[in-house]
Amino acid sequence: MSRKKIVAGNWKMNKTLEEANGLVTYLIELLEENEDVIKIIIPPFPFLSALHLKTKNTVLQLGAQDCSAHTQGAFTGEVSASALKSVGCNFVLVGHSERRTYHQEQNELLIEKTKQALNANLIVILCVGESLQQRKANQQETIVATQITSVLEALTKEQLQHIILAYEPVWAIGTGETATPQQAQEMHHFIRNLISKHHGSELANSISILYGGSCNAQNAQELFACPDIDGGLIGGASLKADDFAKISYSF
Ligand code: PGA
């Protein structure tokens, strides 16, 4: 995949089916057919099938919030990448900080999940980012480099073409505190350089890197204007159709 502008709405554990249907109906009305910007919604698992029916042949694409590191079998409660593909997903989040923190997901497991997703022809949105404590200790680059390098080393150049990265400083997620455009741009630039060192500048310039962490209709324009920021992974603000639509027009 070449470098694209992307806005992805991570609904997390919010909404009922009825509310989800309502939000998507309104979003489809609001969003323009602008092929320049890929617009993805990432609802909870139980709504995927129904929302696939509503979104197919519209401007909205569908993603899932996680997938299993296993192909299939006796893994109660888990959802396989191929099951996600079969209900209309084209994208899947891997390594969201809430999975890393609350479910102790480590880089090795995330590599397995990534491989499962790629084998099922899903595009992976791989999330990385440092905690507040790590930022205060000025360790953000070391932390992000470790998270990303493990993936850069485990995957082939071919596989990496199906990866989108999302830089989400944990201290900015759901807190209302956004990274400044300068802080975000610095990290995105650092990430692109890392890719370039491992796999060359052509690949580095073709991978989209999204910013996430209290990105909203007010600050998106300034963030997306930065040269290495290709869009946003939006949590809270993606639950409101007007805000999500406005963010998607912020390029
Ligand atoms: P937020 O969440 O926009 O609510 O900060 C972003 C995310 O966790 O993906």
Side-chain angles (χ1 to χ4, degrees), residues 97-151:
S97 75
E98 287 148 21
R99 300 293 315 172
R100 291 181 192 259
T101 307
Y102 306 141
H103 301 271
Q104 291 76 43
E105 295 194 359
Q106 312 265 337
N107 293 334
E108 298 71 39
L109 177 81
L110 301 175
I111 289 167
E112 293 311 309
K113 290 190 173 199
T114 300
K115 287 181 177 168
Q116 287 291 336
L118 295 176
N119 284 342
N121 281 328
L122 293 168
I123 292 169
V124 171
I125 304 177
L126 180 80
C127 308
V128 298
E130 81 286 356
S131 68
L132 182 59
Q133 210 185 8
Q134 290 159 341
R135 163 89 35 185
K136 279 190 173 154
N138 203 25
Q139 292 169 337
Q140 62 273 15
E141 291 193 347
T142 320
I143 297 297
V144 170
T146 309
Q147 291 169 337
I148 292 199
T149 305
S150 61
V151 175

Side-chain angles (χ1 to χ4, degrees), residues 10 12 96-98 168 172-176 212-215 233-237:
N10 174 14
K12 309 192 181 185
H96 190 280
S97 75
E98 287 148 21
E168 298 203 299
I173 295 179
T175 58
S214 299
C215 182
L233 179 56
I234 319 296

Side-chain angles (χ1 to χ4, degrees), residues 15-33:
K15 307 242 176 247
T16 61
L17 178 60
E18 199 184 343
E19 290 165 349
N21 273 318
L23 174 56
V24 166
T25 304
Y26 189 32
L27 260 180
I28 292 170
E29 265 171 45
L30 281 179
L31 290 171
E32 280 166 20
E33 194 89 36

Side-chain angles (χ1 to χ4, degrees), residues 37-126:
V37 180
I38 297 175
K39 294 163 274 272
I40 308 164
I41 51 162
I42 309 179
F45 291 134
F47 311 151
L48 288 170
S49 247
L51 295 186
H52 173 54
L53 293 179
K54 277 188 96 75
T55 54
K56 71 176 174 198
N57 305 323
T58 73
V59 294
L60 282 176
Q61 301 217 44
L62 205 56
Q65 296 177 16
D66 186 30
C67 72
S68 175
H70 304 282
T71 311
Q72 61 172 33
F75 300 100
T76 303
E78 300 226 356
V79 178
S80 71
S82 59
L84 296 174
K85 187 72 188 180
S86 74
V87 294
C89 285
N90 283 330
F91 299 86
V92 64
L93 292 182
V94 172
H96 190 280
S97 75
E98 287 148 21
R99 300 293 315 172
R100 291 181 192 259
T101 307
Y102 306 141
H103 301 271
Q104 291 76 43
E105 295 194 359
Q106 312 265 337
N107 293 334
E108 298 71 39
L109 177 81
L110 301 175
I111 289 167
E112 293 311 309
K113 290 190 173 199
T114 300
K115 287 181 177 168
Q116 287 291 336
L118 295 176
N119 284 342
N121 281 328
L122 293 168
I123 292 169
V124 171
I125 304 177
L126 180 80

